Amino acid sequence: MDQVPVEVIGNILSHLTAARDVVIASATCKKWRQACCHHLHTLSFSSNDWPLYRDLTTSRLEILITQTIFQTRALHSLSILMEDVDEFSASTVIAWLMYTRQTLTQLYYNVKTIPDVNILEHCGRLKLQKLFLAQNSISGVDPNYHRFPSLKSLSLSYITISALDLNLLVSACPSIHSLQLVNPEIAMSDAQVTLELTSSTLKIVYVEAISLDKFVLEADSIEYLYLKDCALEVFELIGKDTLKYFKIDDVSVIHLDIGDTVQNLETVDISNFTIIWPKFYHMISKSSNLKRLRLWDVMFDDEDEVVDVETIATCFPQLSHLSLSYDVRDGALHYGLQGSSCLHNVLVLQLGWTVINSLFSHWVEGLLKRCPNLKKLIIHGVVSEAKSEEECLILANFTTSMIELMRRYTHVDPHFKYE
């Protein structure tokens, strides 16, 4: 170890991340203490890393964090995540931020203070590339002063912010690449809750647990869009043909419009969602490059609507991964086997049920026939603890039919996943 450069030791210590582990390791010798002081790049204080953090008094914890941070000289990444700890002194937290602001490129911040600290005032705005904020409030954003020219990733969780300030904050990040919003509290001045975000550089947008009347996202470079557990009356995406990944999970939306951004879509993943199929299909039908399609636990606005394999095969000839959940209502199978077109490029097929019946195995067989080049079949099922004699018989017959079926499709690798 005497031959290892002190800079390399600093990199080793940086991979430990957790502050307690770094402090213990740096006690090895004088050389390691020097590495910790001058070449440590990453440091993390988290109440989840060490349970004793919660047993210390707030003042004692402030001293420990202050001593550790002030012994470093070149931190690039600082993480202070104290969810279950009482409020810190605002002056102490500001001292941490001011001390590290000249070198930090990444800041993960979830600290409750008395009084509140405006994080935008005290973090190093010029060098910061990644910013994660949680359990705080943001107000009075001035895009001329609060400007983050190097920021590429912005994540806001359980943040209180107005719709105007949020848009101004995104606009103040001319290089932003990724935006994550998790359960924000959007303060509104109008009766109608409307959020408009505009960015020409955004590529990745993840939105979770947001409730709005109207959400308009204008992003000319967007490639990845994921909406999860949201309640929206109107969602509108304005952009160019850059969107490649579109996912919706457990979202309530009356009007969904992703405009003319679907030309280059490669993945569409829809689950726990009620759709008007003709309208949704019209939206994605131009996605001739689609490679992955997942329709799982999807409710149809009209019970008579049917998604047939013929339509999927015709409109998405490049499809390589197809996932469908089996659903029969009033005797109608929503994912029907009409037509005779094959899915020649499908290599992975995922099929599942929430309530199984005797027709499921026939449906699986019908889809297998449509996928002549299939390599992998994954069956997802839900099995309740208490089963009637009829349910046991259905499962037994399904198992038998799948064994017989796989003997005829020896080139397919079968997998079964039960909940």
Side-chain angles (χ1 to χ4, degrees), residues 129-200:
Q129 297 177 15
K130 188 170 186 177
L131 177 60
F132 168 86
L133 295 179
Q135 306 287 350
N136 279 267
S137 60
I138 297 175
S139 60
V141 177
D142 184 348
N144 296 317
Y145 176 65
H146 299 127
R147 193 162 181 82
F148 296 83
S150 302
L151 196 71
K152 292 180 172 59
S153 176
L154 176 63
S155 178
L156 305 176
S157 296
Y158 300 90
I159 291 290
T160 300
I161 189 171
S162 71
L164 176 60
D165 279 337
L166 181 54
N167 192 26
L168 289 174
L169 180 57
V170 172
S171 301
C173 306
S175 302
I176 191 169
H177 176 275
S178 172
L179 174 65
Q180 183 179 70
L181 295 175
V182 177
N183 200 10
E185 183 179 339
I186 307 295
M188 296 290 176
S189 57
D190 301 329
Q192 187 182 40
V193 185
T194 301
L195 175 62
E196 297 182 4
L197 295 180
T198 303
S199 172
S200 60

Side-chain angles (χ1 to χ4, degrees), residues 103-334:
T103 57
L104 277 189
T105 59
Q106 298 183 19
L107 176 61
Y108 304 83
Y109 180 88
N110 183 1
V111 182
K112 297 177 182 177
T113 62
I114 299 178
D116 289 338
V117 172
N118 186 346
I119 190 70
L120 301 184
E121 295 283 349
H122 305 289
C123 60
R125 295 186 291 273
L126 294 179
K127 291 187 175 181
L128 207 60
Q129 297 177 15
K130 188 170 186 177
L131 177 60
F132 168 86
L133 295 179
Q135 306 287 350
N136 279 267
S137 60
I138 297 175
S139 60
V141 177
D142 184 348
N144 296 317
Y145 176 65
H146 299 127
R147 193 162 181 82
F148 296 83
S150 302
L151 196 71
K152 292 180 172 59
S153 176
L154 176 63
S155 178
L156 305 176
S157 296
Y158 300 90
I159 291 290
T160 300
I161 189 171
S162 71
L164 176 60
D165 279 337
L166 181 54
N167 192 26
L168 289 174
L169 180 57
V170 172
S171 301
C173 306
S175 302
I176 191 169
H177 176 275
S178 172
L179 174 65
Q180 183 179 70
L181 295 175
V182 177
N183 200 10
E185 183 179 339
I186 307 295
M188 296 290 176
S189 57
D190 301 329
Q192 187 182 40
V193 185
T194 301
L195 175 62
E196 297 182 4
L197 295 180
T198 303
S199 172
S200 60
T201 58
L202 264 178
K203 292 185 177 180
I204 300 173
V205 177
Y206 174 84
V207 180
E208 179 180 347
I210 192 170
S211 179
L212 296 168
D213 291 331
K214 187 175 183 179
F215 186 179
V216 179
L217 175 62
E218 186 172 351
D220 288 343
S221 303
I222 191 167
E223 296 180 2
Y224 179 104
L225 175 61
Y226 186 179
L227 304 177
K228 181 178 181 181
D229 192 23
C230 298
L232 306 167
E233 288 192 14
V234 176
F235 177 82
E236 184 177 352
L237 174 64
I238 302 172
K240 298 179 180 178
D241 291 332
T242 56
L243 190 64
K244 294 181 179 179
Y245 185 102
F246 180 48
K247 183 172 182 177
I248 295 179
D249 183 7
D250 196 14
V251 172
S252 171
V253 58
I254 297 174
H255 178 72
L256 175 67
D257 185 6
I258 55 177
D260 298 324
T261 64
V262 299
Q263 193 72 33
N264 293 306
L265 263 177
E266 295 180 1
T267 299
V268 172
D269 188 335
I270 311 296
S271 58
N272 303 299
F273 186 58
T274 299
I275 62 176
I276 302 174
W277 174 250
K279 188 173 182 180
F280 184 79
Y281 168 72
H282 179 71
M283 260 196 312
I284 66 171
S285 60
K286 298 178 182 178
S287 309
S288 57
N289 295 321
L290 196 69
K291 293 178 175 60
R292 294 171 180 262
L293 176 63
R294 183 172 182 263
L295 300 172
W296 210 266
D297 289 339
V298 172
M299 301 283 289
F300 291 86
D301 191 63
D302 186 346
E303 292 183 357
D304 295 329
E305 288 177 356
V306 173
V307 181
D308 58 88
V309 177
E310 182 77 14
T311 299
I312 294 175
T314 303
C315 288
F316 312 122
Q318 302 300 320
L319 209 61
S320 63
H321 289 65
L322 177 62
S323 303
L324 300 173
S325 60
Y326 182 77
D327 194 2
V328 176
R329 289 192 180 90
D330 297 329
L333 178 62
H334 283 307

Side-chain angles (χ1 to χ4, degrees), residues 378-418:
I378 304 172
I379 301 292
H380 295 262
V382 178
V383 181
S384 60
E385 293 183 5
K387 293 180 285 295
S388 64
E389 183 176 349
E390 182 182 359
E391 289 174 323
C392 290
L393 181 61
I394 290 174
L395 280 174
N397 290 336
F398 166 71
T399 304
T400 301
S401 64
M402 289 307 298
I403 292 174
E404 294 175 351
L405 190 60
M406 288 299 100
R407 285 173 178 167
R408 285 183 278 144
Y409 292 88
T410 54
H411 62 284
V412 177
D413 182 19
H415 295 262
F416 296 86
K417 297 182 180 181
Y418 293 134

